[in-house]
């Protein structure tokens, strides 16, 4: 994909992705003062955009960033399609939408007005594919995440997850599972977590401090619609040892199955079935 010229939308201006785009005093750059969403592109179209925009706008509201009335879901949809067309992304891809507080001030901003930034990239796969090899995970213990009003949203303060991802890589692991202040498992560095026991799905509730994942919600709904029981409840590290399966979900990769946690090994029957249901759902939605 290196030969493809990618474009971005910087607050209404369409630019080459290679051009400078960060303005002086950017609060996202200086303070992580913003929220973002990662959106999967299938057959050249953004999917599940309603859920993403709702979470994006709710996150901005929590941060007291004022969204201008003209900036609607329909406007974002049109601007994403424009970038996909200019970037010649006609099948698989991903998009990142950011809403940041406008420049000015230090910790105390001089304004609460919003700016936005949209980026797109191609992805080889045009459907959700289950990973061939199961991921190897462990539990991250260096830093705990404390549930707060910000927990459900993708804010631009991701240092705990950055450090956990680096630590996992240093140990030869694919990912770490993060804990909250009570020691309960809540999510990985970039995904929500599900465990399967006796055909029943369990996932941490939002009150535990996990991201309110759009794919998490879709997997819950798909499971229930297809006769699988789902419980949102606290999950402890020892639950990983008694689980039949463990898998991770996020908007871009869909579902990734865990192959092992320390000496424990897992199958992928449920995750494989859910990937098939996920692809069938979006094929029908997109009419392909």
């Amino acid at each position: 994909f290196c030969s493809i010229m990618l474009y971005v939308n910087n607050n209404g201006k369409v630019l080459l992705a290679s051009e400078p785009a960060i303005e002086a005093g950017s609060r996202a750059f200086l303070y992580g003062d913003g929220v973002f969403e990662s959106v999967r592109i299938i057959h050249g179209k953004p999917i599940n955009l309603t859920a993403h925009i709702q979470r994006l706008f709710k996150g901005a509201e929590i941060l007291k960033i004022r969204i201008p009335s003209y900036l609607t879901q329909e406007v974002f949809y049109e601007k994403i399609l424009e970038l996909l067309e200019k970037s010649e992304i006609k099948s698989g891809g991903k998009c990142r939408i950011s809403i940041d507080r406008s420049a000015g001030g230090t910790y105390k901003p001089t304004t609460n007005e919003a700016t936005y930034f949209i980026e797109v990239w191609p992805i080889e796969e045009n459907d959700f594919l289950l990973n061939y090899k199961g991921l190897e995970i462990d539990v991250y213990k260096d830093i705990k995440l404390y549930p707060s009003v910000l927990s459900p949203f993708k804010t631009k303060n991701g240092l705990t997850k950055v450090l956990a991802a680096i630590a996992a890589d240093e140990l030869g692991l694919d990912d770490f599972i993060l804990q909250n202040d009570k020691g309960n498992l809540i999510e990985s560095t970039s995904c929500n977590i599900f465990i399967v026991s006796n055909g029943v799905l369990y996932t941490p509730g939002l009150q535990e401090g996990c991201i309110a994942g759009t794919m998490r919600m879709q997997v819950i709904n798909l499971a229930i619609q297809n006769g699988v029981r789902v419980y949102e409840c606290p999950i402890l590290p020892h639950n990983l040892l008694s689980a039949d399966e463990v898998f991770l979900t996020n908007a871009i990769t869909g579902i990734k199955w865990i192959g092992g946690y320390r000496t424990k090994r897992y199958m992928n029957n449920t995750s494989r079935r859910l990937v098939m249901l996920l692809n069938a759902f979006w094929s029908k939605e997109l009419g392909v």
Side-chain angles (χ1 to χ4, degrees):
F1 294 123
C2 58
S3 61
I4 295 177
M5 296 203 330
L6 300 178
Y7 289 83
V8 300
N9 187 314
N10 185 7
N11 210 38
K13 297 178 182 177
V14 176
L15 308 166
L16 276 169
S18 57
E19 294 181 22
I22 298 176
E23 66 172 315
S26 163
R27 295 189 61 83
F29 179 71
L30 295 173
Y31 301 105
D33 192 0
V35 286
F36 72 96
E37 289 289 321
S38 298
V39 182
R40 179 65 186 262
I41 308 299
I42 294 180
H43 293 288
K45 294 180 181 178
I47 66 166
N48 214 13
L49 192 60
T50 298
H52 284 292
I53 297 299
Q54 285 177 349
R55 185 174 63 173
L56 185 70
F57 284 3
K58 183 63 178 176
E61 180 185 334
I62 294 294
L63 294 185
K64 302 186 185 301
I65 297 174
R66 285 196 291 269
I67 307 292
S69 59
Y70 69 83
L71 207 53
T72 63
Q73 178 180 324
E74 291 72 26
V75 168
F76 274 121
Y77 183 74
E78 291 169 5
K79 293 185 182 301
I80 291 168
L81 289 184
E82 179 186 27
L83 291 182
L84 292 172
E85 183 176 348
K86 287 186 71 70
S87 301
E88 298 184 8
I89 299 172
K90 298 180 175 67
S91 54
K94 63 179 180 177
C95 166
R96 177 175 162 130
I97 309 170
S98 296
I99 287 183
D100 306 316
R101 203 182 319 271
S102 294
T106 52
Y107 284 114
K108 181 182 177 181
T110 56
T111 178
N112 288 320
E113 298 305 314
T115 64
Y116 68 89
F117 194 86
I118 310 172
E119 307 163 83
V120 294
W121 301 269
I123 294 179
E124 286 188 33
E125 297 82 17
N126 200 30
D127 290 301
F128 291 108
L129 298 181
L130 192 64
N131 46 310
Y132 176 74
K133 182 183 178 185
L135 305 182
E136 297 293 324
I137 61 161
D138 208 327
V139 176
Y140 187 61
K141 297 180 178 178
D142 291 356
I143 306 173
K144 299 287 198 301
L145 290 177
Y146 288 78
S148 76
V149 68
L150 296 176
S151 298
F153 308 104
K154 289 191 168 186
T155 69
K156 294 197 169 179
N157 181 351
L159 286 179
T160 296
K161 294 178 179 180
V162 168
L163 291 174
I166 291 171
D169 189 59
E170 288 175 344
L171 292 173
L173 297 169
D174 295 297
D175 211 343
F176 260 133
I177 306 302
L178 308 178
Q179 296 175 287
N180 64 15
D181 55 319
K182 297 177 182 176
N184 298 340
L185 306 181
I186 55 173
E187 59 195 4
S188 80
T189 59
S190 62
C191 300
N192 290 108
I193 183 171
F194 288 79
I195 70 172
V196 185
S197 288
N198 298 318
V200 178
L201 286 187
Y202 300 88
T203 192
L206 298 184
Q207 70 277 7
E208 295 289 306
C210 64
I211 289 277
T214 57
M215 184 57 66
R216 170 188 180 273
M217 200 66 247
Q218 181 162 25
V219 165
I220 289 173
N221 290 335
L222 276 175
I224 292 171
Q225 290 162 12
N226 287 275
V228 179
R229 284 184 293 161
V230 183
Y231 292 102
E232 297 180 66
C233 59
I235 294 177
L236 299 171
H238 70 77
N239 294 134
L240 292 175
L241 297 173
S242 58
D244 301 317
E245 297 182 45
V246 181
F247 63 85
L248 305 176
T249 64
N250 76 19
I252 303 302
T253 58
I255 297 168
K256 298 187 289 188
W257 69 285
I258 304 301
Y261 163 62
R262 299 181 183 174
T263 58
K264 174 74 176 183
R265 312 312 296 171
Y266 303 106
M267 301 297 286
N268 63 6
N269 298 324
T270 302
S271 50
R272 189 186 301 121
R273 181 188 176 203
L274 286 168
V275 168
M276 292 173 63
L277 291 171
L278 191 59
N279 284 325
F281 175 87
W282 284 113
S283 291
K284 184 178 179 181
E285 283 288 305
L286 297 171
V288 295

